[in-house]
Structures are given as C-alpha cells and as structure tokens.
Amino acid sequence: MAQPGLAASPWPWRINAAPKNDNGAWNADLVIDLRLARRCRAFGGAGRGLAAHGVEARVSAPGDAEFAALLARAGVPLAPAFAPVREWAKEMINRSRSASPEDRARLIAGQATEIVARQYEALSLAAEGCDAVVAFGLFPSCAAARMVAEQRGMRYMLGTFCPIWLPSPHNRPHEYPSHPLPAGVTDNRLLWEMDIRTKNALFGEAINGQRASLGLPPVQNVRDYVYGKRVLLACDPTLGPWPGSDLIDAVQAGAFIQPDERPLPGALKAFLDAGPPRVYVGFGSISVASEAGHAAIEAIRARGLRTVIAQGWAGLGPIDDRDDCFAVGEVNQQALFGRVAAVIHHGGAGTTVAAARAGAAQVIVPQIGDQPYWARRVAELGIGAAHDGPVPTVKSLSAALEVALARKTRVHAAALAGKIRADGAEVAARLLIKSLGESSR
C-alpha cells in the first residue's frame, strides 16, 4: 500500500501526496516568529527521515534565499509560503515597537487576518495531490493549514518545538498584549481555560472570517480547532521533557536534527586553530541591537578569550580591527560548536540543542517566545547560564560567562552531550506515518 506523503514548514508543514512509484505559537510580543533558519534545518531533517520510509516530503517555508538553500541541501522540495519573511517581519516589528498593549493586540489580530487568508491561498497550491498536513509555526498559519486539510479531506496534525505551548497543569499559558494572566491565579488549568478565550479574542475573527469565505461554519474554540486531536512535540526529551497532560494528547519525538557535513571555511579553521579559546556569539534571525554584540565581544575580551560572531539578521560583526574577533555567516554549527569554549545565543530551540549536543557550555540571552524556557532549562541542567533579561551589558555577560566557563559547568555540558538524541526526525517520521495512517481508517 502506498505510504502517505508528509511535508513541513516553519509556518506550517504539509504532507505531500503518495509517491507515484508506490509537522505555535504565535509570538505576541513581536507579532511574528523569526526563528526560521534553525527550523528550516529541522524540517530538512524531518523531510529526509520521511523520505527514508518511502514518503515524499514537501516543505512550505518563506521563500527567502537562505531558507531555500537550507532545504536544497537536505534535498527536500520547497513550496513557498505567502511571502518572504525578512523584510515583512522587520516592518511588523517596527510597527509593534512603539505600540501600546491595546494597539499591539489589534496589530496581532489584523496581521492574523492577513496571514490566514494569504497562507490559505499559498497552502492550497502547495497541497495539490497531498494526503495530509502537519503544521508548525504561527498560530494563524497553522489555522490556514487546518482549513486546507478540512476542505480537501486530508489528515492533519499540529507540531511544536517546545512543551510550554501545550496545555498542561505543569505550566502557564503564554501571556498576550492586552490579555494579561490575572495576578494571584496559580491554577494552571484555569489559566489554560482562559487561554481559549484569549485566542478566540485575538484570532477568532481572522479564522472564522476565512471559514465564512469558504462556506464553512464558525468554530467556537479556535485554539482546540488548531491544536487538533494530537500534537507532535519535536524537542529533545532531556532538554525539554514532556511530563504528560490530561489537557491535551501529545507525543514527543525528539529534536529534528539534520546532519551537516559541510567543512568549516579555511579562514575560520585557521582562526580556531590559533591563539586562546573561542566563544561563539550569535542571535540567529532575531534582530537584536548591535549593542548586544558589542557587549559580548568586550565581555569575552575581558576574560582573555576570542570571539566568533555570527552576523545574523542583526548584521553583527567586529567592533574594531583587532584580530581577536572573526565574523561568520551561515556556517556548520555542528562542527563549530564542538570547537568553542561556550556559546552565547538567544535561546532558540535549534541553537540550544545544537550547542548541547556539541557539549558546549551556554549563555542564553532570551528575547521572545519559548527562549526564556530554554534559558531556564540550560541553567537547571547545569550546562550554562540564563541571562537576566533580553538586554545584555558587558557586566551582565561577564557574570554569565563566569558561570558558563566554570569547570563544573563544562563537565556537566560534556556529560549531557551524550544524552541528546539524534534520532528525533526518524522517530517523528514513524510516528507521523502511523498516526496519520490510523486517522484515515
């Protein structure tokens, strides 16, 4: 019997048609989730895992050149989402930066309407001939994926990269602008009930408006509609364990890790081979202020160490012409992280697991979304330090580096590396084929 095809996306996944021969969270603070590069790597790994089972995988992602290149290396076809994300995201961030909580809530709702409509159109084209859809990413984008699946009679599953997005008595829901969690309420079950009302308020009009345009009846609970019957949790169980919940059915597969065989550039290898130990600094696709990179370089210098700084979307780089700082673009982090004393980063799920798997101590400067969770987990596991707040200074990073570079921390980081599973994509492929196959019976 033909296997169903699967596909993925940092906005949503889609599951592609059976071969002819035989997987959010909305970031309320900044309106749009920018943690895309590591996620494209993850989806590339998942796509390869599915292909190994005879399943054709198609990934829908923003059409930016960097994401297309990541998926091309994995050999997974790209079906572009409704728009390239970099410039659009910067515009949304600029709009939200000076807005009041009420204005930001209205901005979220307005952008949700745009995303649902435009993404529904893009996914309808991408889903031609598909059997199922697995959606990761922005809540409105996943809603569009669910509607495409509903209209076409396709199977559907939601996925997420962090357990905090899932209803559970063990954690509180995300707090949205103009919808604060009530002070003094400690009953997480009650808070998750309130989360249903919050998501209805923010996203209900966008989702039900699109449903009306399709001739579909409204849904009363948009959160549970998007979450579906079962959720795929794609994070490492050592780093982000799922304690289970009677509020939702979730299955943990492990992190989607795509092996990277690219060699490091010659100039970078020469820098790594010469002089004192190195510390990596990178904030991925999060547009942090240049002052963060400046503070990191100064803090690293103060300890007599050298810096490898990732340019990222913030365009970080050396602060002067001294030879103790080397700037890199897109690079093989799996190879690089094994050669640095510590990794300073924003706390994205992908970067966190890459550093942990390499045995590198970490300093996480969390910015948005699930990043404070990963910072807390790194500190709890004794493999690094959680920076207090999103704006680092030389003093605050120096204190965090002192923790990360301590012998005890480095020993813990090296020991934990062997516990990070590399089979998450393979486990997910088998789970998806089994679960989605059962749902079609």
Side-chain angles (χ1 to χ4, degrees), residues 27-75:
N27 168 26
D29 295 331
L30 296 180
V31 181
I32 185 166
D33 186 336
L34 302 180
R35 297 157 289 171
L36 291 173
R38 295 295 302 175
R39 293 188 173 187
C40 277
R41 290 192 187 95
F43 293 123
R48 291 177 63 171
L50 290 163
H53 288 268
V55 175
E56 184 183 347
R58 183 186 305 168
V59 173
S60 177
D64 304 69
E66 59 208 279
F67 308 138
L70 287 170
L71 294 170
R73 285 205 301 272

Side-chain angles (χ1 to χ4, degrees), residues 87-256:
E87 294 305 318
W88 187 75
K90 287 180 180 178
E91 179 185 350
M92 294 305 104
I93 291 171
N94 288 335
R95 286 188 198 175
S96 69
R97 191 166 279 145
S98 59
S100 67
E102 293 76 15
D103 287 341
R104 293 168 82 186
R106 283 191 288 269
L107 181 60
I108 290 171
Q111 289 305 315
T113 299
E114 177 186 356
I115 291 172
V116 169
R118 295 182 66 187
Q119 191 70 333
Y120 179 88
E121 183 178 354
L123 298 186
S124 293
L125 294 173
E128 287 291 342
C130 292
D131 297 302
V133 54
V134 183
F136 283 77
L138 302 178
F139 190 87
S141 185
C142 293
R146 179 75 198 264
M147 279 184 270
V148 170
E150 182 180 353
Q151 282 285 77
R152 293 172 177 261
M154 298 160 56
R155 280 96 74 196
Y156 168 87
M157 182 180 285
L158 181 74
T160 182
F161 291 103
C162 183
I164 66 165
W165 303 119
L166 301 178
S168 168
H170 303 287
N171 57 270
R172 295 159 66 87
H174 185 68
E175 190 170 68
Y176 291 83
S178 195
H179 294 273
L181 300 177
V185 176
T186 58
D187 184 346
N188 288 335
R189 292 178 183 276
L190 176 59
L191 292 175
W192 280 107
E193 282 294 317
M194 297 178 63
D195 180 67
I196 294 173
R197 296 196 292 273
T198 296
K199 285 189 169 63
N200 280 340
L202 289 171
F203 308 119
E205 184 175 348
I207 294 170
N208 283 323
Q210 181 67 20
R211 290 180 66 81
S213 73
L214 300 171
L216 296 173
V219 292
Q220 301 303 313
N221 180 339
V222 297
R223 189 197 72 187
D224 287 358
Y225 171 74
V226 172
Y227 278 33
K229 294 181 179 180
R230 197 180 202 196
V231 178
L232 176 67
L233 178 57
C235 67
D236 185 82
T238 298
L239 285 178
W242 173 240
S245 170
D246 59 355
L247 302 180
I248 195 167
D249 182 12
V251 58
Q252 185 164 23
F256 298 167

Side-chain angles (χ1 to χ4, degrees), residues 293-373:
H294 191 291
I297 292 171
E298 293 287 9
I300 292 166
R301 278 179 175 169
R303 302 191 67 86
L305 305 175
R306 297 179 299 150
T307 304
V308 176
I309 190 164
Q311 295 164 336
W313 284 18
L316 303 181
I319 58 177
D320 51 37
D321 58 1
R322 291 172 59 174
D323 63 0
D324 62 349
C325 182
F326 191 96
V328 296
E330 168 60 24
V331 70
N332 181 348
Q333 291 185 345
Q334 295 174 16
L336 176 58
F337 287 176
R339 300 201 57 187
V340 298
V343 175
I344 300 176
H345 64 103
H346 56 299
T351 308
T352 303
V353 74
R357 189 165 175 249
Q362 304 183 49
V363 171
I364 294 184
V365 185
Q367 304 292 308
I368 59 174
D370 55 6
Q371 294 166 9
Y373 170 82

Side-chain angles (χ1 to χ4, degrees), residues 240-273:
W242 173 240
S245 170
D246 59 355
L247 302 180
I248 195 167
D249 182 12
V251 58
Q252 185 164 23
F256 298 167
I257 296 174
Q258 178 184 334
D260 194 340
E261 304 298 333
R262 292 175 297 159
L264 296 175
L268 174 57
K269 290 176 65 177
F271 179 80
L272 295 172
D273 289 339

